[in-house]
Amino acid sequence: MKPDSLPQEIWNATPEFARRVISEQAEAIALLVQQTKRLAARVEQLEAQLNKNSGNSSKPPSSDPPYQGPAKSKKSKKGGKKRGGQKGHKGHRQALMPPTRIMDVKPDQCSCGSRHLEPCKDAPFYIHQVVELPEIVMDV
């Protein structure tokens, strides 16, 4: 079998052994091309089968994989606003109660290991309030 891209005069001048090798390789290449086309069609068919879900086939929703959440509709956004507080929105915070006791907690040493700490003249770094509820007595 002579390759189509090879002129006849070169094919005739080629030794018999080389012609046989070239013919065998051309047949092998043709066979591999056919097999590749067949396998590509099979892969396409299997991917189409794999991509089926309850939204694009007659399968029930219970057959959908658990890692795929429910299909999100494009109508889910209301007014185009993002979730949470919008810009310019006045925040709400729980008001601090008047303290009954104030306790300053100061570290013994710095995170770098230094024990020479100067007193801080700025406002406290963190305020923590603890509210204790009275013991509940049951009346039976």
Side-chain angles (χ1 to χ4, degrees), residues 11-41:
W11 180 253
N12 293 337
T14 306
E16 182 62 32
F17 173 74
R19 279 196 248 174
R20 201 171 343 117
V21 170
I22 292 171
S23 296
E24 289 172 3
Q25 288 178 349
E27 289 172 10
I29 289 171
L31 182 69
L32 290 173
V33 167
Q34 288 176 351
Q35 188 177 13
T36 303
K37 287 179 183 176
R38 226 178 36 247
L39 290 174

Side-chain angles (χ1 to χ4, degrees), residues 28-132:
I29 289 171
L31 182 69
L32 290 173
V33 167
Q34 288 176 351
Q35 188 177 13
T36 303
K37 287 179 183 176
R38 226 178 36 247
L39 290 174
R42 179 73 175 141
V43 166
E44 190 174 320
Q45 174 196 6
L46 291 174
E47 283 178 346
Q49 216 173 28
L50 186 64
N51 289 332
K52 282 186 181 177
N53 60 26
S54 63
N56 59 12
S57 70
S58 61
K59 294 171 68 175
S62 61
S63 68
D64 288 345
Y67 55 85
Q68 287 180 344
K72 294 181 181 179
S73 66
K74 293 185 180 181
K75 296 179 182 179
S76 65
K77 281 199 171 185
K78 296 179 182 178
K81 290 184 179 179
K82 291 184 177 180
R83 299 171 90 186
Q86 304 297 310
K87 285 192 175 184
H89 174 258
K90 184 177 182 286
H92 299 284
R93 299 194 78 173
Q94 186 173 0
L96 292 174
M97 298 172 66
T100 54
R101 181 174 59 148
I102 296 176
M103 184 186 338
D104 285 338
V105 180
K106 298 187 184 205
D108 293 335
Q109 70 181 40
C110 179
S111 61
C112 67
S114 174
R115 291 186 179 273
H116 302 289
L117 300 174
E118 296 179 15
C120 182
K121 296 174 184 135
D122 297 334
F125 175 70
Y126 178 71
I127 296 175
H128 181 77
Q129 284 198 337
V130 177
V131 177
E132 294 185 16

